[in-house]
Amino acid sequence: MADSANTRNSSSRKRAIRRRFLKIGAAVAAAAAVARPQISHARTATLRMQGAWGPADIFHEMAMEYVSRVEEMAGGRLKIDYSVAGAVVPPDRLHEAVHDGRLDGGHAVTAYWHATHKAAALFGGGPVFGADAAQTLAWIHKGGGHALYRELVQDILKRNLVGFFCMPAPAQPLGWFTREFATVEDLKGLKYRTVGPAAEIMSRVGLSVVAIPGGEILPAMESGRIEAFEYDNPTSDSRLGAQNAAKNYVMGSFHQAATFFEIIFNGDIFAALPAEHQAILEYAAEAASTANYATAMKNYPADLRKLIDGHGVKVRRAPRDVMKAQLEAWDAVLDDLMKDPFFAKVVESQRQWAKRVGYYSLMNAADQKLAWEHHFGKLGF
């Protein structure tokens, strides 16, 4: 009975995708029939997209910056019917839902499906080789990363998806702690919340990792189930209410230092769109990348200052030996994961890119700390 039901459900999903494919294809054909020189007459298409973010999350605002750019660049002829996390499927099921046609698109991060293939972490949240998030996003665009992503998604996982990347996110802070600490030894056995690939890294550093969803963090802190946690950034953390659970906020970490948004579309739906709409979906991601980063820079520093001045939060950088321990933990994790040939191929591509780009950047970059201290005084680290 179960096999029969699964077969019927699969057939129904395929028929639904085909109906939408034919509908969009008909719109494309109609547009071509009435086309005139230098004038676009593409029919309006509406794509159903779900994000991985709640309506109050700063990442929801960033997703809407992508949506608005798509619609404005298309002159209203391409619309995105966007819904928040959980409206159709949980965030960790977005890939499957877009693949099988329950959704036309999704806005999330690859960490949500890293359990499907460990190499997913390398496209947002993997090891750091001396290149920051912006430089690693450049690897995706110009260093062969996007071709490797397509190989993973389409050839290895056989998923009917097209994906783009945007927003080189600042490194996530180490997190919130109920007490201060001076060395990595002080963290041994501390009950610490994190998720995804970071869980193994922080476990190897010596913390007792508890993987729970964001919505369970504050109750877990109150009950003593956890003593520390990381979430994402000063804006998301303050909106969560982290400042009510702990007063020690430690910045700087390698557990998730190069993250990007992954924007995906069902491959058949994407292929049925006019070429101009395909281009808009792709290049709006590049436009949103700039807008998203600007939104982060507007909000993150302001909210960090509010945490300090308005809530008595003590902010400092992670001790150097903690960050060194994280790098050593990444080394150990990679030793095991590199046994997979594809994973090893992606890592080697990233490593060679970082060796070139990181050398140039580190040799050439102005000492911004020196400049800041010249104008504003000692930072304290």
Side-chain angles (χ1 to χ4, degrees):
M1 292 290 291
D3 288 344
S4 177
N6 288 337
T7 300
R8 288 196 301 273
N9 290 338
S10 177
S11 297
S12 296
R13 285 195 296 269
K14 289 179 180 178
R15 286 195 297 271
I17 292 175
R18 178 171 174 79
R19 284 195 297 270
R20 283 186 58 76
F21 179 85
L22 291 174
K23 182 178 179 181
I24 292 175
V28 175
V34 298
R36 297 174 184 170
Q38 301 181 349
I39 299 177
S40 172
H41 289 272
R43 290 284 186 88
T44 299
T46 299
L47 304 180
R48 303 163 303 173
M49 172 181 279
Q50 182 191 299
W53 329 111
D57 198 314
I58 188 71
F59 294 159
H60 171 74
E61 296 175 31
M62 293 176 181
M64 294 310 298
E65 288 178 334
Y66 174 74
V67 171
S68 66
R69 277 153 182 75
V70 167
E71 295 186 344
E72 290 175 24
M73 291 165 70
R77 292 184 298 277
L78 178 62
K79 295 184 178 296
I80 295 181
D81 180 12
Y82 181 89
S83 54
V84 298
V88 179
V89 293
D92 62 350
R93 312 297 287 190
L94 271 174
H95 250 232
E96 296 174 20
V98 177
H99 163 74
D100 65 25
R102 283 173 288 165
L103 288 162
D104 300 325
H107 186 286
V109 291
T110 59
Y112 282 118
W113 54 276
H114 87 282
T116 304
H117 197 293
K118 296 295 185 182
L122 299 173
F123 300 93
V128 180
F129 299 115
D132 65 17
Q135 293 155 1
T136 306
L137 183 57
W139 165 78
I140 289 180
H141 287 304
K142 297 291 185 178
H146 201 266
L148 289 167
Y149 168 80
R150 285 197 301 269
E151 182 179 351
L152 172 61
V153 171
Q154 297 176 6
D155 298 342
I156 296 176
L157 298 180
K158 308 297 184 186
R159 288 191 167 173
N160 184 26
L161 300 172
V162 174
F164 308 110
F165 290 85
C166 72
M167 175 48 177
Q172 292 185 9
L174 187 63
W176 296 81
F177 296 80
T178 53
R179 58 180 171 81
E180 294 187 33
F181 60 93
T183 70
V184 68
E185 289 300 318
D186 297 335
L187 295 177
K188 301 295 185 183
L190 188 75
K191 292 178 288 185
Y192 175 86
R193 179 269 181 189
T194 190
V195 294
E200 187 169 358
I201 300 304
M202 300 308 291
S203 293
R204 288 179 180 270
V205 170
L207 289 87
S208 177
V209 171
V210 181
I212 57 175
E216 297 179 20
I217 289 175
L218 297 189
M221 286 287 285
E222 185 176 349
S223 69
R225 184 183 174 193
I226 58 175
E227 305 165 90
F229 63 92
E230 63 82 25
Y231 192 55
D232 198 278
N233 62 74
T235 299
S236 295
D237 290 4
S238 60
R239 292 183 185 184
L240 177 72
Q243 66 275 13
N244 300 320
K247 295 299 183 183
N248 296 290
Y249 194 25
V250 182
M251 312 292 287
S253 180
F254 284 126
H255 77 275
Q256 198 156 335
T259 309
F260 332 104
F261 292 132
E262 177 196 30
I263 302 171
I264 55 173
F265 296 97
N266 177 276
D268 291 337
I269 295 298
F270 184 84
L273 292 169
E276 65 181 284
H277 286 176
Q278 293 177 1
I280 287 170
L281 292 177
E282 178 177 0
Y283 298 126
E286 295 183 8
S289 202
T290 299
N292 290 171
Y293 188 77
T295 295
M297 291 302 98
K298 175 184 176 182
N299 287 274
Y300 295 3
D303 287 325
L304 181 62
R305 179 48 57 184
K306 289 177 185 176
L307 288 169
I308 297 169
D309 296 340
H311 298 279
V313 173
K314 297 179 181 178
V315 176
R316 65 189 182 92
R317 280 186 61 81
R320 187 176 179 84
D321 71 337
V322 171
M323 299 187 78
K324 188 173 187 300
Q326 288 179 324
L327 290 175
E328 292 169 350
W330 270 115
D331 289 342
V333 169
L334 288 178
D335 283 344
D336 180 53
L337 294 177
M338 294 274 279
K339 295 172 184 175
D340 178 272
F342 180 78
F343 191 100
K345 181 167 70 169
V346 178
V347 167
E348 184 58 25
S349 176
Q350 288 186 330
R351 193 191 299 269
Q352 291 304 317
W353 176 265
K355 186 177 181 179
R356 297 191 304 274
V357 174
Y359 176 83
Y360 162 75
S361 177
L362 293 168
M363 288 296 290
N364 186 60
D367 189 338
Q368 297 296 348
K369 181 184 176 186
L370 178 65
W372 195 95
E373 291 182 338
H374 173 77
H375 292 284
F376 307 114
K378 285 290 183 182
L379 270 172
F381 70 90

